Amino acid sequence: MRNTHILSNQTPQQVRGVAIIGASGYTGAELIRILLAHPYVTIEILTGDSSAGKDIGEIYPHLRFKNLPPLKKLEEVHPALVAGSGIDLVFCCLPHGTTQTVIAGLPKHMKVIDLSADFRLADPAEYAKWYGHAHQAAELQKEAVYGLTEIVRGQIKDARLVANPGCYPTSAALPLIPLLKNSVINHDIIIDSKSGVTGAGRSAKQPNLFTEIDGGMSAYGIANHRHAPEIEQTLGRAAGKNLKVTFTPHLIPMSRGILSTIYVQLAGKNTADDVRATLQKTYTNEQFVHILPAGVAPTTHQVRGTNDCVIGVFADRIPGRAIIVSVIDNLVKGASGQAVQNMNVMFGWPEETALQMSAIFP
Amino acid sequence: MRNTHILSNQTPQQVRGVAIIGASGYTGAELIRILLAHPYVTIEILTGDSSAGKDIGEIYPHLRFKNLPPLKKLEEVHPALVAGSGIDLVFCCLPHGTTQTVIAGLPKHMKVIDLSADFRLADPAEYAKWYGHAHQAAELQKEAVYGLTEIVRGQIKDARLVANPGCYPTSAALPLIPLLKNSVINHDIIIDSKSGVTGAGRSAKQPNLFTEIDGGMSAYGIANHRHAPEIEQTLGRAAGKNLKVTFTPHLIPMSRGILSTIYVQLAGKNTADDVRATLQKTYTNEQFVHILPAGVAPTTHQVRGTNDCVIGVFADRIPGRAIIVSVIDNLVKGASGQAVQNMNVMFGWPEETALQMSAIFP
Amino acid sequence: MRNTHILSNQTPQQVRGVAIIGASGYTGAELIRILLAHPYVTIEILTGDSSAGKDIGEIYPHLRFKNLPPLKKLEEVHPALVAGSGIDLVFCCLPHGTTQTVIAGLPKHMKVIDLSADFRLADPAEYAKWYGHAHQAAELQKEAVYGLTEIVRGQIKDARLVANPGCYPTSAALPLIPLLKNSVINHDIIIDSKSGVTGAGRSAKQPNLFTEIDGGMSAYGIANHRHAPEIEQTLGRAAGKNLKVTFTPHLIPMSRGILSTIYVQLAGKNTADDVRATLQKTYTNEQFVHILPAGVAPTTHQVRGTNDCVIGVFADRIPGRAIIVSVIDNLVKGASGQAVQNMNVMFGWPEETALQMSAIFP
Amino acid sequence: MRNTHILSNQTPQQVRGVAIIGASGYTGAELIRILLAHPYVTIEILTGDSSAGKDIGEIYPHLRFKNLPPLKKLEEVHPALVAGSGIDLVFCCLPHGTTQTVIAGLPKHMKVIDLSADFRLADPAEYAKWYGHAHQAAELQKEAVYGLTEIVRGQIKDARLVANPGCYPTSAALPLIPLLKNSVINHDIIIDSKSGVTGAGRSAKQPNLFTEIDGGMSAYGIANHRHAPEIEQTLGRAAGKNLKVTFTPHLIPMSRGILSTIYVQLAGKNTADDVRATLQKTYTNEQFVHILPAGVAPTTHQVRGTNDCVIGVFADRIPGRAIIVSVIDNLVKGASGQAVQNMNVMFGWPEETALQMSAIFP
């Protein structure tokens, strides 16, 4: 039994209607899974161009059941559809690069949480460099709040447009930001990240076939992944100056989960224990960030299906260095869960609403 | 948003305390996962002999977190521990064969749901034949109700001791019982079942190592598995006469899920459509049993982490035969979820309480 | 050490040149893997329309290495390419339905082994029914030998065109043909087959993504799979009369391997021991077919990467019935390995040449 | 077709008899798989204490078949057994710590390749520190050659006792040794390694159950793994001075394969291209080490079941740094394959004998 606010709730909350644009991908489905358990939200609109006219159960059989609340059929995205509805917030789950004009076309009174990368980079030049074209909604880009909830929840509360952080950046930024802010580490940072395959999305691509993935692993996007500038922007803000990181993502034969192994140089006389203490202090009142005691390493099994981030800190054999291991579920804290967490902040609800699930293991 | 009874609940429910005996196995951990979300239950006692003195988080790191309600340390099983407590119900998750004397030693006012096989077979001779020794609690064996919730919830309501059904039997009995009761099929039944590896439990055995399982599959217990008499007892009751079935279990390289492919002979002029219609009629008001439309096959992905059973029915190419495919999560509807469902019935709570989760996919 | 014919070979064999048409799929890659170890074969031509101009190492990095014999670049398929070459045999690995005109265009002196389904069904009406169009090379269809090596090697020796059997049919026919020929079983046969995902090929399809397959299983093509008529044709020839079978394929989260669980009715007073004895007698001198002793069940791990078929036989609990479990590697004995075995027969080489590899486990 | 030395061999080789002590583990089974294809070796003795009296096929069904050469039953290890035989070489596959007295008891004329860690560390103090007890065969420890074949084949040729390198060290040392020898990099090295689960061996341990591993990953032995001093010893010899490395191993849900991502600092004005060029030059005539062109990353799929090591080199985004990715099959080049390679050197046979297999993919 949980002593949740929900049961003891005295002041009835206003129910909010939301739309999920691009509901046919994995982040869309995961949003539905989470929001079905949300006491103050109704899903009013689902869009998915290639799936328009279908029930969600036809494209996601695990969301088919009669004991779930009924959902509307998927529709084609068009501005009027959303604009004319009474919904309060739009989750935008479209592929990177396709979302700027869609969001620009939404009425200004609607809040927006964008799960793509389109509004994450604040610098137009940086965006153009990594995505190969000028940003198509430059004003919105300036306005967007990069939504790492634990770090900037004050800004999120008042934001109209939240750029939901990427999965790799979330796994790296949660441990690193407090260390940079408190000058516990210097700026020489190596992030070796391993991800499950859901990060690659649901579109049919030969390299992501079961038979191509099962039983093997590989590095990809080495020194060239679009999450690198996103990480650097985030860490640079914490450090108060520009920095560059080494970042290598890997594809692991499992569906969900990111594990980032982070190699840091300790500033001054700091030790791994200082790193751990700083993180413990920073996150002591946070529901979703967990700092493990010395000697204990996290596993992605701990966070499968949850909005948690678990972090372990270790002294390296080489003096002056520490190794940080951070795990999240890339679809939850790395995408749809953090999006719901941000929505909860935006609407003034308890941040953990609909996010108190235990992990599924085994 | 769900319009659940929980939110609109007008009459506060009495909170019940429960014990989980044998909490260190997978069914114990899964019970904890489910009960943590149960609004009317507190877990008062956890036992696990080899883990006594430990926090649950030490043996199940996914249950470690600060945002979960605190749980007591694991203790050794001994009758006085439970007897002297004020708990209302005991979940018994001990290995087969070890549970009879433990349950016999419990005070009579405590309700018991036993997840082992010890009280499933009603016939002492059959028990002795399959388990190699006389039953050690013969009076209790007579009293125990075989707890397929959808089939005998009336008896469960008044039971003191529920023998929670096995995973394979649940997957087979839910589709077959209504067909036998309504004489839609005859008694020539072949059940070809495929199971994920959690069915083998958490004890360290070489054949269940990752490296022994991954990338391969096998049949086991062919024509000789202990679930065969359990299935036959259940189906025999529905048919009104003894029957024997062909049953072959297989071990599949995945963690959760059972898929049973069932080959039946149609009685009289019945067709596969009659089979489907009978099941739809039987289960139309059931929350957890779902009959798919013609042409649609279930997948275990649909039920991962949920208490659902999904059933598809197909006409065979050979006239007079039908093929039924049934899926469950062996740890939920096949074990701990059905146990909670039975508890809900026993305490008069809505049957779906704490069981309304969506499946985790991917 | 093996005392192979290769080392002690006294009469040098003529080296033969072969072409692989459609080399970019899994069966093509597997043919290359096997043929690279073949002492009497050189691969002269590789075709793959969408991969034309590439090295095989670009589309199959595991075939990239400098310590392998050099292979020619992939070319586009066109009749003149093959016709004008001096090659002796063509392996055709094109998708079903695209291969008939290609093979019809080859010079008559070239031997052909077709790994598609195009020439497997001998009856033009049956072909048209299952594939939706009239056969486009009806004369060749008549001439083709259905190449289950152990069963018809005499015909294969003299064939010009061999239709290489399907994977499911091979797993079912090897145990069932001797039993039908010897009237050990009657004609009531249920085949419940489970396959790894390589059977679905290498083209990019959403349902075959890692994330859609991992951690779950399903039945498909229930009572409606194109291998059903192929199985029936093969078994009908052995039985001496037409018969129909129940056949259900399943998709299992692993890459290689088929396991078929076959439910048979014993003819007359035959027992499971008679079934086993018949199979042992039939296959006693066969290198690739292995009948396990009573009580031992096969696993697909035993045959991963090999041309073997392993069969176990069990008495059912219901008198008069037996359960047969048969395993193969669908890409080897179920495709490219049997193709090489057939080539060895056609050229008069020892049948096991290049096929004596041990299984890869774990 | 391969133009192998085997076929064209003019001078018949002397056949050598070998023993495999500790044949019941994965490295033992893998040795058998490889040696069965070796033209100059017969396996004369197999030992395995807990499996004594059994056929290898009872503990490894994939080695059961009639078309393989017959193998003797497993026996208990005792010195007289091996000493009294006429064998020429002993492969010792016992667990770490148990092998020193066994090897010390072997006749001096027998060559020994030890696959455990017992003779890898040359410094007695270092051994005692990491393994918790003094070395029990100190003289042998001095004599043992650390058998990275490509690096020290001259010493291996004349060695009596070869300490076969560990899997992680092999994956790291092959790329790093030439770079240190040629001063292309400095001594600040971070090795982030990911391994399949076979590295954990075949003994029954709860953390290695399928259900504990599947679908998740973790780091382990962080800054504290016994392969760290082994790596440092090897790299220190190449660098000509002692050095320390950062080394973090991870457990990945797959059976075979190691991928090491190595972060290096370039010495002087060297670039990633210089790193690649140095490796290409070093390994240009090596059969088993493959340096990929710029922009191409390796995958463990490329080496599954083979003795190959594949290496890719990438410039980091931070000037002065490079990222090296190296893959091997931990059971082959990381254990039994390199052992056979070393045996080939010791007996003067072509180094690739029995090691020319292609990778199994998918």
Side-chain angles (χ1 to χ4, degrees):
Chain A
M1 188 179 86
R2 299 171 188 274
N3 291 318
T4 67
H5 65 93
I6 298 174
L7 293 169
S8 58
N9 184 44
Q10 300 300 321
T11 25
Q13 296 289 341
Q14 181 186 352
V15 169
R16 303 285 191 160
V18 305
I20 301 175
I21 298 184
S24 61
Y26 289 142
T27 53
E30 191 70 353
L31 267 176
I32 296 172
R33 180 177 79 91
I34 296 169
L35 293 176
L36 285 173
H38 200 295
Y40 315 133
V41 168
T42 59
I43 303 171
E44 299 290 346
I45 295 173
L46 295 174
T47 82
D49 281 5
S50 65
S51 307
K54 292 188 180 171
D55 280 323
I56 191 73
E58 293 176 79
I59 57 171
Y60 282 107
H62 73 295
L63 297 175
R64 180 194 291 272
F65 301 132
K66 63 185 171 189
N67 54 353
L68 299 179
L71 287 168
K72 297 195 178 133
K73 282 182 192 298
L74 286 116
E75 302 174 82
E76 280 188 48
V77 184
H78 58 90
L81 168 73
V82 179
S85 71
I87 63 145
D88 299 288
L89 185 144
V90 175
F91 291 103
C92 196
C93 304
L94 296 172
H96 304 319
T98 66
T99 192
Q100 297 156 32
T101 51
V102 171
I103 291 178
L106 294 175
K108 299 300 173 202
H109 69 273
M110 286 184 188
K111 291 176 184 293
V112 181
I113 297 174
D114 181 31
L115 284 82
S116 83
D118 278 16
F119 293 93
R120 292 184 197 152
L121 294 183
D123 178 355
E126 195 77 353
Y127 179 88
K129 173 182 156 194
W130 284 90
Y131 290 89
H133 61 90
H135 202 285
Q136 297 163 288
E139 285 307 307
L140 281 172
Q141 191 186 12
K142 281 183 214 158
E143 175 194 331
V145 172
Y146 184 79
L148 265 174
T149 330
E150 283 78 6
I151 307 302
V152 290
R153 59 166 62 87
Q155 294 173 51
I156 293 167
K157 195 167 176 46
D158 301 321
R160 187 218 157 204
L161 169 58
V162 168
N164 213 56
C167 49
Y168 289 124
T170 296
S171 75
L174 286 174
L176 288 172
I177 285 176
L179 302 179
L180 289 166
K181 279 191 181 166
N182 292 283
S183 301
V184 179
I185 59 172
N186 71 26
H187 297 183
D188 183 350
I189 296 167
I190 293 176
I191 302 165
D192 189 285
S193 292
K194 300 90 179 166
S195 175
V197 187
T198 45
R202 204 191 198 194
S203 52
K205 292 175 191 158
Q206 191 192 68
N208 297 333
L209 291 175
F210 182 87
T211 43
E212 300 286 312
I213 297 285
D214 187 48
M217 60 182 151
S218 58
Y220 71 100
I222 303 170
N224 196 32
H225 192 280
R226 287 170 172 176
H227 279 183
E230 185 181 333
I231 294 170
E232 290 166 355
Q233 170 183 284
T234 304
L235 299 187
R237 287 172 182 166
K241 56 174 284 194
N242 289 344
L243 53 75
K244 274 200 181 313
V245 298
T246 298
F247 169 60
T248 313
H250 301 76
L251 198 58
I252 302 298
M254 49 186 277
S255 285
R256 283 179 185 240
I258 282 180
L259 184 148
S260 289
T261 311
I262 305 172
Y263 300 92
V264 296
Q265 312 270 354
L266 299 164
K269 298 193 171 176
N270 283 296
T271 65
D273 289 338
D274 296 320
V275 168
R276 193 181 307 104
T278 301
L279 294 176
Q280 280 168 334
K281 189 175 166 197
T282 303
Y283 292 117
T284 187
N285 292 319
E286 293 293 341
Q287 295 240 12
F288 298 118
V289 186
H290 310 267
I291 314 303
L292 295 175
V296 183
T299 153
T300 60
H301 280 126
Q302 287 180 277
V303 296
R304 189 162 46 175
T306 80
N307 199 49
D308 295 291
C309 175
V310 187
I311 299 168
V313 179
F314 299 82
D316 191 10
R317 303 178 60 232
I318 299 179
R321 296 186 176 185
I323 302 170
I324 302 168
V325 183
S326 161
V327 300
I328 60 168
D329 183 324
N330 56 305
L331 288 183
V332 191
K333 185 62 179 172
S336 305
Q338 187 153 250
V340 171
Q341 189 181 358
N342 284 330
M343 176 191 69
N344 289 340
V345 172
M346 291 161 94
F347 286 141
W349 296 325
E351 210 167 298
E352 67 277 19
T353 311
L355 294 170
Q356 290 188 301
M357 63 285 272
S358 301
I360 296 278
F361 173 82
Chain B
M1 190 180 85
R2 298 171 189 275
N3 291 317
T4 66
H5 64 94
I6 298 174
L7 294 169
S8 58
N9 185 42
Q10 300 300 320
T11 25
Q13 296 287 342
Q14 182 187 351
V15 169
R16 304 285 192 160
V18 305
I20 301 176
I21 297 183
S24 60
Y26 289 142
T27 54
E30 191 70 353
L31 267 175
I32 295 172
R33 179 178 78 91
I34 296 169
L35 292 176
L36 284 174
H38 200 294
Y40 314 134
V41 168
T42 59
I43 303 171
E44 299 290 346
I45 296 173
L46 295 173
T47 83
D49 280 5
S50 65
S51 308
K54 292 189 179 171
D55 281 323
I56 192 73
E58 292 177 79
I59 56 171
Y60 282 108
H62 73 295
L63 297 174
R64 179 194 291 272
F65 301 132
K66 62 185 173 188
N67 54 353
L68 299 179
L71 287 169
K72 296 196 177 131
K73 283 182 191 296
L74 285 115
E75 302 173 82
E76 279 188 49
V77 184
H78 57 91
L81 168 73
V82 180
S85 71
I87 63 144
D88 300 289
L89 185 143
V90 175
F91 292 103
C92 195
C93 304
L94 296 172
H96 305 317
T98 66
T99 192
Q100 297 157 34
T101 51
V102 170
I103 292 179
L106 294 174
K108 297 301 174 203
H109 70 273
M110 285 184 189
K111 292 177 184 291
V112 182
I113 298 175
D114 180 31
L115 284 82
S116 84
D118 278 16
F119 292 94
R120 292 184 197 151
L121 294 183
D123 178 355
E126 195 77 354
Y127 179 89
K129 172 180 157 196
W130 284 89
Y131 291 88
H133 61 90
H135 202 285
Q136 297 164 288
E139 284 308 305
L140 280 173
Q141 190 187 14
K142 279 183 215 157
E143 176 194 330
V145 172
Y146 184 80
L148 264 174
T149 329
E150 284 77 7
I151 308 302
V152 290
R153 60 166 62 86
Q155 294 173 52
I156 293 166
K157 193 167 179 47
D158 301 321
R160 187 217 156 207
L161 169 58
V162 168
N164 214 55
C167 49
Y168 288 123
T170 296
S171 75
L174 285 173
L176 288 171
I177 285 175
L179 303 179
L180 290 166
K181 278 191 180 165
N182 291 284
S183 302
V184 180
I185 59 171
N186 71 26
H187 298 182
D188 183 350
I189 295 168
I190 293 175
I191 302 165
D192 189 284
S193 293
K194 299 92 180 166
S195 176
V197 187
T198 45
R202 204 190 198 196
S203 52
K205 292 175 190 158
Q206 190 193 68
N208 297 333
L209 291 175
F210 182 87
T211 43
E212 300 286 312
I213 296 286
D214 187 49
M217 61 182 150
S218 57
Y220 70 100
I222 303 171
N224 195 32
H225 192 280
R226 286 170 173 176
H227 280 182
E230 185 181 332
I231 294 170
E232 290 167 354
Q233 170 183 283
T234 305
L235 300 187
R237 287 172 183 166
K241 56 175 285 193
N242 290 343
L243 53 76
K244 273 198 181 315
V245 298
T246 298
F247 169 60
T248 314
H250 300 76
L251 198 57
I252 302 298
M254 49 187 276
S255 285
R256 284 179 184 240
I258 283 180
L259 184 148
S260 290
T261 310
I262 306 172
Y263 300 92
V264 295
Q265 312 269 352
L266 299 164
K269 298 194 171 173
N270 283 296
T271 64
D273 289 339
D274 296 320
V275 169
R276 191 181 308 105
T278 301
L279 294 175
Q280 280 168 332
K281 190 175 165 196
T282 304
Y283 292 117
T284 187
N285 292 320
E286 292 293 343
Q287 295 238 14
F288 298 118
V289 186
H290 310 266
I291 314 303
L292 294 175
V296 183
T299 153
T300 60
H301 280 127
Q302 287 181 279
V303 298
R304 188 161 46 174
T306 80
N307 199 48
D308 295 290
C309 175
V310 187
I311 300 168
V313 179
F314 299 82
D316 191 11
R317 302 178 62 232
I318 299 178
R321 295 185 175 186
I323 302 170
I324 301 168
V325 183
S326 162
V327 299
I328 60 168
D329 183 324
N330 55 304
L331 287 183
V332 190
K333 185 62 178 172
S336 306
Q338 188 154 248
V340 171
Q341 189 181 359
N342 284 330
M343 176 191 69
N344 288 340
V345 171
M346 292 161 93
F347 285 141
W349 297 326
E351 210 166 297
E352 69 276 19
T353 311
L355 294 170
Q356 290 188 301
M357 63 284 274
S358 302
I360 295 280
F361 173 82
Chain C
M1 188 180 85
R2 298 170 189 275
N3 290 318
T4 65
H5 64 93
I6 298 173
L7 294 168
S8 58
N9 184 44
Q10 300 300 320
T11 25
Q13 295 288 342
Q14 182 186 351
V15 170
R16 303 285 192 161
V18 305
I20 301 175
I21 297 183
S24 61
Y26 289 142
T27 53
E30 192 69 354
L31 267 175
I32 295 171
R33 180 177 78 93
I34 297 169
L35 292 176
L36 284 173
H38 201 295
Y40 315 134
V41 168
T42 59
I43 303 172
E44 300 289 347
I45 296 173
L46 296 174
T47 83
D49 280 5
S50 64
S51 307
K54 292 189 179 168
D55 280 323
I56 191 72
E58 292 177 78
I59 56 171
Y60 282 108
H62 73 295
L63 298 175
R64 181 194 290 271
F65 301 132
K66 62 186 171 187
N67 55 352
L68 299 179
L71 287 169
K72 296 195 178 132
K73 283 182 191 297
L74 285 116
E75 302 175 81
E76 279 188 49
V77 184
H78 58 92
L81 168 73
V82 180
S85 72
I87 64 144
D88 299 290
L89 186 144
V90 174
F91 291 103
C92 196
C93 303
L94 296 172
H96 304 318
T98 65
T99 192
Q100 297 156 34
T101 51
V102 170
I103 292 179
L106 294 174
K108 297 301 173 203
H109 70 272
M110 285 183 189
K111 291 177 184 291
V112 181
I113 297 174
D114 181 31
L115 284 82
S116 83
D118 278 17
F119 292 94
R120 292 183 195 151
L121 293 183
D123 178 354
E126 195 76 355
Y127 179 88
K129 174 180 157 195
W130 285 89
Y131 290 88
H133 61 89
H135 203 284
Q136 296 163 287
E139 285 307 306
L140 281 173
Q141 190 186 14
K142 279 183 215 158
E143 177 193 329
V145 172
Y146 184 80
L148 266 174
T149 330
E150 283 78 7
I151 307 302
V152 290
R153 59 166 63 87
Q155 294 172 51
I156 292 166
K157 194 168 177 45
D158 301 321
R160 187 218 155 205
L161 169 58
V162 168
N164 213 57
C167 50
Y168 288 124
T170 296
S171 76
L174 286 173
L176 288 171
I177 285 176
L179 303 178
L180 289 166
K181 278 191 181 165
N182 291 284
S183 302
V184 180
I185 60 172
N186 72 25
H187 298 182
D188 184 349
I189 295 167
I190 293 176
I191 302 165
D192 189 284
S193 292
K194 299 92 179 166
S195 176
V197 187
T198 45
R202 205 191 197 194
S203 52
K205 291 175 191 158
Q206 191 192 68
N208 297 334
L209 290 175
F210 181 87
T211 43
E212 300 286 312
I213 296 285
D214 187 48
M217 60 181 150
S218 58
Y220 70 101
I222 303 170
N224 195 32
H225 192 281
R226 286 170 173 177
H227 280 182
E230 185 182 333
I231 294 170
E232 290 167 354
Q233 169 184 284
T234 304
L235 299 187
R237 286 173 183 165
K241 56 174 286 195
N242 289 342
L243 52 77
K244 275 201 180 312
V245 298
T246 297
F247 170 61
T248 313
H250 300 75
L251 198 58
I252 302 297
M254 49 187 276
S255 286
R256 283 179 185 240
I258 282 179
L259 184 148
S260 289
T261 311
I262 306 172
Y263 300 92
V264 296
Q265 312 269 354
L266 300 164
K269 298 194 171 174
N270 283 296
T271 66
D273 290 338
D274 297 320
V275 168
R276 192 181 308 106
T278 301
L279 294 175
Q280 280 167 332
K281 190 175 164 196
T282 303
Y283 292 116
T284 188
N285 292 319
E286 292 293 342
Q287 297 239 12
F288 297 118
V289 186
H290 310 266
I291 314 304
L292 294 175
V296 183
T299 153
T300 60
H301 280 127
Q302 287 181 278
V303 297
R304 189 161 45 174
T306 80
N307 199 48
D308 295 291
C309 175
V310 187
I311 300 167
V313 179
F314 299 82
D316 192 9
R317 304 179 60 233
I318 299 178
R321 296 185 176 188
I323 302 169
I324 302 168
V325 183
S326 162
V327 299
I328 60 168
D329 183 324
N330 56 304
L331 287 184
V332 190
K333 185 62 178 172
S336 305
Q338 187 153 249
V340 171
Q341 189 181 359
N342 284 330
M343 176 191 69
N344 288 341
V345 172
M346 292 162 93
F347 285 142
W349 297 325
E351 211 167 296
E352 68 276 18
T353 311
L355 294 170
Q356 290 188 302
M357 63 284 274
S358 301
I360 295 279
F361 173 82
Chain D
M1 190 179 86
R2 297 170 190 275
N3 290 318
T4 66
H5 65 93
I6 298 174
L7 293 169
S8 58
N9 184 43
Q10 300 300 321
T11 25
Q13 296 289 341
Q14 182 187 351
V15 169
R16 304 285 192 161
V18 305
I20 301 175
I21 297 184
S24 60
Y26 289 143
T27 53
E30 192 70 353
L31 267 176
I32 295 172
R33 180 178 78 92
I34 296 169
L35 294 176
L36 284 173
H38 201 295
Y40 315 133
V41 168
T42 59
I43 303 171
E44 299 290 346
I45 296 173
L46 295 174
T47 83
D49 281 5
S50 65
S51 306
K54 291 188 180 170
D55 281 322
I56 191 72
E58 292 177 79
I59 57 170
Y60 282 108
H62 74 295
L63 297 174
R64 179 194 292 273
F65 301 131
K66 63 185 172 189
N67 54 352
L68 299 179
L71 288 168
K72 296 196 178 130
K73 283 182 192 296
L74 286 115
E75 301 174 83
E76 279 188 49
V77 184
H78 58 91
L81 168 73
V82 180
S85 72
I87 63 142
D88 300 290
L89 185 143
V90 175
F91 291 103
C92 195
C93 304
L94 295 172
H96 304 318
T98 66
T99 191
Q100 297 156 33
T101 51
V102 170
I103 292 178
L106 294 175
K108 298 300 174 204
H109 70 273
M110 285 185 189
K111 291 175 183 291
V112 181
I113 298 174
D114 180 31
L115 284 82
S116 84
D118 279 16
F119 292 94
R120 291 184 197 152
L121 294 183
D123 177 355
E126 195 77 354
Y127 179 88
K129 172 180 158 196
W130 285 90
Y131 291 88
H133 60 90
H135 203 284
Q136 298 164 287
E139 285 307 306
L140 280 172
Q141 191 186 13
K142 279 184 215 156
E143 175 194 332
V145 173
Y146 183 79
L148 265 175
T149 329
E150 283 78 7
I151 308 302
V152 291
R153 59 166 63 86
Q155 295 172 52
I156 293 167
K157 194 167 177 47
D158 301 322
R160 189 218 155 204
L161 169 59
V162 168
N164 213 55
C167 49
Y168 289 123
T170 296
S171 75
L174 285 174
L176 288 171
I177 285 175
L179 303 178
L180 289 167
K181 278 191 181 166
N182 291 283
S183 302
V184 179
I185 59 172
N186 71 26
H187 298 182
D188 183 349
I189 296 168
I190 293 176
I191 302 165
D192 189 284
S193 292
K194 300 91 179 165
S195 175
V197 187
T198 45
R202 204 191 196 193
S203 52
K205 292 175 190 157
Q206 191 193 68
N208 297 333
L209 290 175
F210 181 88
T211 43
E212 300 286 313
I213 296 285
D214 187 48
M217 59 181 152
S218 57
Y220 70 100
I222 303 170
N224 196 31
H225 191 280
R226 287 171 172 176
H227 280 182
E230 185 181 333
I231 294 170
E232 290 167 354
Q233 169 183 284
T234 304
L235 299 187
R237 286 172 182 166
K241 57 175 286 193
N242 289 344
L243 54 77
K244 273 201 182 311
V245 299
T246 298
F247 169 60
T248 314
H250 300 76
L251 197 57
I252 302 297
M254 49 186 277
S255 285
R256 284 178 184 239
I258 282 180
L259 184 148
S260 289
T261 311
I262 306 172
Y263 300 92
V264 295
Q265 311 269 353
L266 299 164
K269 298 194 172 175
N270 283 296
T271 66
D273 290 339
D274 296 319
V275 168
R276 192 182 307 105
T278 302
L279 294 175
Q280 279 167 332
K281 190 175 165 197
T282 303
Y283 292 117
T284 187
N285 292 319
E286 292 293 342
Q287 296 239 11
F288 297 118
V289 186
H290 310 266
I291 313 304
L292 294 175
V296 183
T299 154
T300 60
H301 280 127
Q302 288 181 278
V303 297
R304 188 160 48 173
T306 80
N307 199 48
D308 294 290
C309 175
V310 187
I311 300 168
V313 179
F314 299 82
D316 191 9
R317 302 178 62 233
I318 299 179
R321 295 185 176 186
I323 302 169
I324 302 168
V325 183
S326 161
V327 299
I328 59 168
D329 183 325
N330 56 304
L331 288 183
V332 191
K333 185 62 178 171
S336 306
Q338 188 154 248
V340 171
Q341 189 181 359
N342 284 330
M343 176 191 69
N344 288 340
V345 172
M346 292 161 94
F347 285 141
W349 297 325
E351 209 167 296
E352 69 276 19
T353 311
L355 294 170
Q356 291 189 301
M357 61 285 273
S358 302
I360 295 279
F361 173 82

